[in-house]
């Protein structure tokens, strides 16, 4: 009996030793950890500022890893709603033109071709941060555009003023050639007009602030490199701006299907409309020139078309008219 008691005692001692207390670890684990930090103080959150007092760009403000354009960890993609130029060709052309940009977002484990390699090289050379993101994140920040795994974040466009556009022409020793858009609302049309403007020697494009498209990322994508070469001014009142340009010797040339002069006759007028300082006024899609703009213009011209064609897209019509003007200027040695 005594031996059995000794064995039971030893077993109890062994069991007690094997189940030693946790030293308060479990008790401390149950203790509260205080209030949840603000989003801007939590690493990994898109609003994290890293204690740098930045602008809420996830701590990647100017330079990314040490300011060398290093690739960021996945999850540092820009917030939705920021201006995004998406697609490999569009991003590459934007970087080649040196347009302002704040960061590049690429698909994690992207399969790179020559365009992707050049995009990464140019981005790194400019010291821009590079963020990796999932396809879902890229779809979200680009508003489901065809991004092909790359998206460039650009800051809001800095508009020129009309005087700056005239100075560009003056510095080139050329009579001003401007384009004013009267109620164009489709960003694809503005982008296409900018491409034509860049091709045919336009010194600047003028947009009204109201009831008009503005310089968005969609415009940058369509215009490609031309958006970086052709300056855009935004004015409060387009008709007042046209009147001011007329007072300074710029001929206001309206483009409308009901014009009384053909674009092919620009060089045969008493005042050669192709060689004068000109602002070409292009009307809205489907509506044409507004009444006030038509009344403000010195001359309204039309594009000769076959009877079966009712009208042309605004950007196509602008391209044809600019081609005609460029031809006149080249023939007289101006261009």
């Amino acid at each position: 009996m005594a031996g059995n008691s000794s064995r039971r005692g030893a077993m109890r001692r062994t069991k007690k030793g094997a189940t030693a207390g946790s030293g308060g670890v479990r008790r401390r684990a149950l203790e509260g950890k205080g209030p949840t930090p603000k989003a801007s103080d939590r690493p990994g959150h898109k609003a994290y500022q890293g204690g740098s007092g930045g602008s809420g760009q996830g701590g990647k403000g100017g330079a990314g890893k040490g300011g060398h354009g290093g690739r960021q960890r996945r999850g540092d993609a820009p917030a939705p709603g920021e201006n995004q130029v998406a697609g490999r060709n569009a991003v590459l052309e934007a970087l080649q033109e040196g347009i302002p940009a704040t960061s590049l977002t690429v698909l994690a484990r992207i399969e790179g071709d020559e365009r992707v390699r050049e995009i990464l090289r140019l981005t790194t050379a400019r010291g821009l941060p590079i963020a990796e993101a999932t396809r879902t994140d890229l779809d979200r920040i680009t508003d489901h555009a065809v991004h092909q795994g790359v998206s460039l974040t650009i800051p809001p466009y800095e508009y020129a003023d009309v005087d700056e556009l005239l100075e560009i022409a003056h510095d080139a020793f050329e009579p001003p050639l401007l384009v004013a858009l009267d109620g164009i609302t489709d960003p694809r049309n503005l982008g296409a007009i900018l491409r034509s403007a860049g091709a045919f020697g336009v010194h600047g494009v003028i947009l009204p602030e109201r009831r008009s498209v503005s310089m968005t990322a969609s415009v940058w994508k369509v215009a490609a490199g031309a958006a970086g070469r052709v300056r855009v001014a935004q004015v409060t009142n387009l008709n007042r701006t046209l009147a001011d340009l007329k007072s300074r010797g710029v001929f206001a040339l309206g483009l409308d299907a009901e014009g009384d002069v053909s674009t092919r006759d620009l060089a045969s007028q008493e005042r050669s409309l192709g060689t004068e300082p000109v602002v070409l006024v292009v009307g809205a899609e489907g509506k044409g020139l507004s009444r006030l703009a038509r009344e403000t213009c010195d001359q309204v011209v039309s594009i000769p078309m076959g009877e079966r064609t009712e009208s042309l897209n605004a950007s196509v019509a602008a391209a044809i008219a600019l081609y005609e003007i460029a031809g006149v200027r080249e023939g007289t040695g101006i261009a």
Side-chain angles (χ1 to χ4, degrees):
M1 294 293 292
N4 291 338
S5 299
S6 297
R7 282 196 298 272
R8 285 196 297 270
M11 291 175 63
R12 283 196 296 269
R13 286 194 295 274
T14 302
K15 185 175 181 181
K16 183 176 180 180
T19 57
S22 63
V25 173
R26 294 192 183 95
R27 185 169 63 251
R28 288 196 297 271
L30 296 175
E31 294 177 358
K33 297 182 179 180
T36 301
K38 296 185 294 183
S40 59
D41 295 331
R42 299 202 304 270
H45 195 283
K46 65 183 181 181
Y48 178 59
Q49 297 181 1
S52 62
S55 57
Q57 293 293 324
K60 63 182 183 300
K65 293 182 180 179
H68 298 294
R71 187 168 306 186
Q72 303 292 302
R73 68 182 185 278
R74 189 169 63 186
D76 281 347
E82 295 188 81
N83 281 340
Q84 301 294 322
V85 176
R88 297 185 183 186
N89 287 335
V91 169
L92 180 57
E93 290 183 351
L95 289 170
Q96 289 173 335
E97 290 295 327
I99 73 168
T102 57
S103 65
L104 175 74
T105 304
V106 298
L107 182 66
R109 297 182 296 277
I110 187 172
E111 294 183 4
D113 56 12
E114 291 184 5
R115 292 172 298 174
V116 172
R117 289 191 289 272
E118 183 65 7
I119 286 170
L120 293 174
R121 187 189 70 79
L122 291 172
T123 304
T124 302
R126 290 178 59 174
L128 297 176
I130 303 174
E132 286 187 343
T134 64
R135 185 172 297 277
T136 300
D137 285 339
L138 268 170
D139 289 342
R140 179 170 49 87
I141 66 173
T142 61
D143 197 19
H144 299 277
V146 181
H147 51 72
Q148 300 174 303
V150 292
S151 181
L152 187 69
T153 305
I154 61 174
Y157 186 79
E158 293 186 6
Y159 291 97
D161 56 39
V162 177
D163 285 340
E164 182 179 339
L165 305 185
L166 295 175
E167 288 174 5
I168 292 172
H170 179 269
D171 292 343
F173 301 99
E174 297 171 351
L177 176 56
L178 309 176
V179 174
L181 304 184
D182 180 27
I184 298 291
T185 57
D186 189 338
R188 292 168 297 182
N189 270 337
L190 174 55
I193 289 171
L194 285 171
R195 288 182 75 99
S196 297
F200 298 124
V202 172
H203 301 109
V205 174
I206 303 172
L207 303 175
E209 290 182 357
R210 300 177 58 192
R211 294 184 292 276
S212 171
V213 67
S214 57
M215 288 295 293
T216 64
S218 298
V219 175
W220 279 101
K221 181 171 183 177
V222 176
R229 295 192 302 272
V230 181
R231 296 289 287 131
V232 178
Q234 193 175 56
V235 297
T236 304
N237 188 303
L238 181 63
N239 295 311
R240 190 180 304 144
T241 299
L242 294 175
D244 179 65
L245 286 170
K246 289 172 58 177
S247 70
R248 300 164 73 173
V250 180
F251 197 86
L253 189 64
L255 182 61
D256 194 89
E258 302 299 324
D260 50 8
V261 174
S262 167
T263 53
R264 293 174 182 169
D265 299 327
L266 290 176
S268 61
Q269 303 298 306
E270 292 183 6
R271 292 179 62 182
S272 180
L273 304 183
T275 58
E276 295 285 340
V278 165
V279 53
L280 178 69
V281 187
V282 182
E285 305 94 342
K287 299 178 181 179
L289 291 174
S290 65
R291 179 183 59 83
L292 288 176
R294 175 185 286 272
E295 293 175 355
T296 304
C297 288
D298 296 299
Q299 180 75 63
V300 178
V301 300
S302 61
I303 297 170
M305 296 183 296
E307 294 180 357
R308 295 183 180 181
T309 304
E310 294 183 1
S311 63
L312 294 173
N313 175 276
S315 61
V316 174
I320 293 173
L322 290 172
Y323 172 79
E324 297 282 6
I325 294 173
V328 173
R329 291 190 167 203
E330 184 177 354
T332 56
I334 291 179

